[in-house]
Amino acid sequence: MFCEQCEQTASGQGCHQWGACGKGPEVNALQDLLVYVLRGLAPVVLKAEALGLPVREINAFTCEALFATMTNVNFDGDRFKTYIRQALDRRNSLQAAIASAGDTEPWPAIATYEPQWDESLSSQGQDASLLLLQEAEGNIDIFSLKLTTLYGLKGMVAYASHAWELGQWDDNLFHFTQEILSKLGDTHLEVGDWVALALAVGQWNFRAMELLDSGHTGTYGHPVPTPVPLTAQAGKAILVSGHDIKHLATLLEQTRDRGITVYTHGELLPAHGYPKLKADNPHLYGHYGTAWQNQVHDFAKFPGAIVVTTNCLMPPHGEYSPKLFTVGAVGYQGLQYLEGETPDFEPAIAKALELPGFAASDVETDQPPRSVLTGFAHQAVLGVADQVIEAVKSGKIRHFFLVGGCDGAKPGRTYYTEFVEKVPEDCIVLTLACGKFRFFDKNLGHIGELPRLMDVGQCNDAYSAIQIALGLATAFDIGVNELPLSMVLSWYEQKAVAVLLTLLHLGIKDIRLGPTLPAFLSPNVLAILSQTYQLKAITTPDADLAACLA
Ligand code: FS2
Ligand code: SF4
């Protein structure tokens, strides 16, 4: 096997024997085969679209299937076989419809590929992944840029999938997805063309995040600053992890008046900031646990059922597997999968009612209860823009830091905790995504009425952070790069790649990235990004803080 799509890739170079994430060679090969089959579906979808045939549902399918190949989403080989079969069925039906419309132009080989459904399936997947390297014709920089483009696309379609569930889509974004998939095998493009394509993924990822923001705010209201208890309530409990607020909302609806308290985990913490979700569901109570890599410990201890709606799922321990359920693109062989866009959560509810829940003795009696604040999305922050501008002009606020991105298990990630602890008292820290769990419960105090630590939301709420930066730049009548703002980001998986490409597409410079740089960036590609955007690796908190404040 070969996979280097995430930050924890083995030895910082690539997983060859077994994935550091727990993904085995067979599942890896099936994921590569699925990507290959989706690449073969793409020219067919584009042709059908040009002929005016309906392709929207197929586009949504492509997004979900590609999303399933992201890090820590799906480890279930059977689910990948199903996705491959579904992709081939859709391709064959579309080809028949195209032929009926009178277009009989021959298809490229990739669009007529039929796997052999025998024990050679995983070696066919390995061959398909090697093809991407062969198509780069030995040019390591082109290979690097193809991987950057593909990984960014995986992140982008994850957000597009969530937006689709909320009734938000853009046919142009779907078209772009299919275009990129069909171009991955192009042998005529030069390094400059690939850089442009990677940045175009960033551009369209901005659109995907905008659609998702509209879906969230249109359905659940604009987030408002909200305290979220970190303590438990006595009684039966369900923990919901991942990013999918629609699935959380469905579960909340199905657990109303059932005597169950619902807790968020990981990237669902910002769900508490959505006023309609909160108002309709008093049983959405608090947040449990910290970042994804601690789930083995947190899930084992949780005394109720657990639902994982998206990444990051870790291979579960037998001890807690029976109370773990997956939905959407997520899967793991042996775990209970609740199917459908609007799953029936009854098996998870029954499990929660069967399990003991929190006992009265588990409940902390601290008053007020330990809590954190979330809900500082673009409308909440720009709503107090006057206060912010006044504080900057009067010198009360010297600098803003966006410290966000993914968390992970590497010891080097303590950099982010130390960085935030050392941020001077006249500076504000904005944060987002699961990287916040390195410091989310620290009390950094206030500057005037403004908290010094503001949680903007999930990783997709990078959209909100960008709106805040653009709003402040407009208010000060300067460019974003001239704002007293530094971005210190941590990455782990492919959504972070998409977000980084968005920031580069917007021309944002001087981003500091860690804990290590992506293995898939070749030295030349890294040099291009460093020279054009001054993208740099993190060093030490002291040195980086000093440089940002200089
Ligand atoms: Fe964290 Fe994992 Fe949010 Fe990433 S929970 S690393 O998927 O997307 O950030
Ligand atoms: Fe390795 Fe990451 Fe790929 Fe998993 S997703 S196999 S950890 S590079």
Side-chain angles (χ1 to χ4, degrees):
M1 76 178 267
F2 174 70
C3 182
E4 58 173 353
Q5 67 179 357
C6 83
E7 194 272 337
Q8 68 173 1
T9 196
S11 315
Q13 291 181 331
C15 296
H16 294 280
Q17 309 287 332
W18 200 273
C21 59
K23 177 170 69 170
E26 183 165 356
V27 170
N28 187 64
L30 290 170
Q31 291 185 348
D32 286 344
L33 193 61
L34 173 60
V35 171
Y36 184 71
V37 167
L38 293 172
R39 286 175 56 195
L41 172 62
V44 184
V45 174
L46 290 171
K47 173 73 75 72
E49 185 192 30
L51 292 170
L53 296 170
V55 290
R56 195 174 283 153
E57 302 282 338
I58 295 180
N59 279 316
F61 164 80
T62 292
C63 290
E64 183 194 311
L66 201 52
F67 175 17
T69 70
M70 269 183 41
T71 303
N72 286 354
V73 176
N74 199 318
F75 299 81
D76 184 347
D78 289 341
R79 290 275 298 283
F80 286 105
K81 287 181 191 162
T82 303
Y83 278 130
I84 291 167
R85 284 204 169 89
Q86 289 170 333
L88 293 168
D89 288 349
R90 282 162 170 79
R91 182 197 73 187
N92 296 343
S93 309
L94 268 189
Q95 284 179 342
I98 289 166
S100 303
D103 190 322
T104 53
E105 202 186 325
W107 295 106
I110 194 169
T112 56
Y113 167 76
E114 284 294 340
Q116 283 182 336
W117 291 98
D118 55 25
E119 64 287 347
S120 72
L121 201 62
S122 60
S123 71
Q124 295 169 57
Q126 280 166 15
D127 292 347
S129 88
L130 281 176
L131 209 62
L132 209 59
L133 179 59
Q134 285 157 10
E135 287 160 348
E137 297 180 328
N139 186 324
I140 197 67
D141 300 322
I142 288 187
F143 183 53
S144 164
L145 286 160
K146 277 186 180 208
L147 292 182
T148 308
T149 305
L150 174 61
Y151 298 159
L153 194 73
K154 288 186 180 193
M156 184 198 87
V157 298
Y159 295 142
S161 273
H162 290 309
W164 169 260
E165 282 173 2
L166 291 160
Q168 298 284 325
W169 68 86
D170 180 340
D171 289 327
N172 294 319
L173 184 145
F174 284 153
H175 177 88
F176 172 79
T177 305
Q178 302 295 359
E179 261 202 332
I180 291 290
L181 283 170
S182 64
K183 274 195 179 137
L184 282 173
D186 197 315
T187 52
H188 298 101
L189 300 175
E190 306 286 343
V191 165
D193 301 319
W194 281 106
V195 171
L197 282 179
L199 292 175
V201 170
Q203 179 186 351
W204 281 101
N205 182 56
F206 190 50
R207 177 70 179 134
M209 293 194 296
E210 180 186 38
L211 289 167
L212 185 50
D213 184 77
S214 305
H216 284 152
T217 57
T219 315
Y220 310 114
H222 280 274
V224 290
T226 306
V228 184
L230 297 175
T231 52
Q233 268 187 344
K236 305 287 182 184
I238 296 184
L239 184 63
V240 191
S241 187
H243 303 68
D244 199 312
I245 297 178
K246 170 95 187 288
H247 279 138
L248 171 65
T250 306
L251 175 90
L252 287 167
E253 214 174 290
Q254 294 180 19
T255 45
R256 256 177 229 150
D257 305 320
R258 302 284 300 269
I260 293 172
T261 302
V262 176
Y263 299 81
T264 54
H265 174 263
E267 278 277 59
L268 276 172
L269 166 63
H272 293 270
Y274 288 93
K276 286 191 199 158
L277 197 67
K278 257 327 232 191
D280 294 346
N281 300 291
H283 59 308
L284 172 60
Y285 172 68
H287 188 80
Y288 183 89
T290 54
W292 65 270
Q293 74 277 2
N294 301 323
Q295 69 189 248
V296 175
H297 175 73
D298 291 340
F299 287 2
K301 261 179 43 192
F302 190 76
I306 303 158
V307 176
V308 182
T309 65
T310 65
N311 50 330
C312 287
L313 172 70
M314 293 173 78
H317 282 203
E319 181 195 344
Y320 65 82
S321 295
K323 62 182 181 185
L324 195 51
F325 298 80
T326 64
V327 294
V330 191
Y332 196 93
Q333 214 135 25
L335 289 189
Q336 298 186 66
Y337 176 60
L338 308 178
E339 274 182 62
E341 264 194 33
T342 310
D344 176 357
F345 284 104
E346 210 46 51
I349 294 168
K351 180 56 77 178
L353 294 173
E354 173 196 322
L355 288 167
F358 286 102
S361 55
D362 297 328
V363 177
E364 292 175 28
T365 48
D366 295 6
Q367 282 307 325
R370 272 189 309 123
S371 66
V372 290
L373 271 179
T374 190
F376 293 94
H378 56 99
Q379 204 186 65
V381 176
L382 292 175
V384 292
D386 288 353
Q387 274 183 56
V388 175
I389 291 162
E390 179 45 39
V392 173
K393 285 190 174 156
S394 65
K396 287 188 189 134
I397 297 178
R398 177 163 43 140
H399 205 85
F400 296 88
F401 292 94
L402 176 65
V403 187
C406 311
D407 204 354
K410 280 204 180 145
R413 289 182 184 268
T414 50
Y415 165 98
Y416 297 94
T417 320
E418 196 184 327
F419 187 96
V420 167
E421 282 170 352
K422 290 185 166 171
V423 165
E425 286 185 0
D426 55 358
C427 302
I428 297 257
V429 178
L430 298 168
T431 188
L432 52 80
C434 64
K436 69 165 85 68
F437 291 111
R438 293 272 159 183
F439 45 80
F440 79 130
D441 53 354
K442 293 200 179 300
N443 183 357
L444 299 191
H446 287 73
I447 296 178
E449 308 256 297
L450 300 165
R452 284 189 58 233
L453 177 62
M454 298 193 213
D455 178 16
V456 179
Q458 301 179 320
C459 48
N460 41 287
D461 294 310
Y463 174 78
S464 233
I466 292 166
Q467 291 305 321
I468 292 168
L470 294 175
L472 291 178
T474 306
F476 285 109
D477 197 20
I478 53 177
V480 179
N481 288 315
E482 295 162 72
L483 280 173
L485 165 71
S486 301
M487 298 199 185
V488 184
L489 306 181
S490 50
W491 84 285
Y492 171 62
E493 38 68 22
Q494 298 77 58
K495 292 180 192 172
V497 178
V499 171
L500 179 65
L501 292 174
T502 296
L503 296 171
L504 299 181
H505 152 73
L506 292 169
I508 294 175
K509 295 190 172 168
D510 279 316
I511 295 170
R512 287 176 166 75
L513 185 65
T516 55
L517 294 177
F520 54 83
L521 292 182
S522 69
N524 282 339
V525 171
L526 187 59
I528 293 171
L529 299 180
S530 312
Q531 279 154 24
T532 318
Y533 300 102
Q534 288 81 53
L535 177 71
K536 40 184 83 74
I538 56 167
T539 60
T540 64
D542 288 318
D544 289 347
L545 261 173
C548 293
L549 292 170

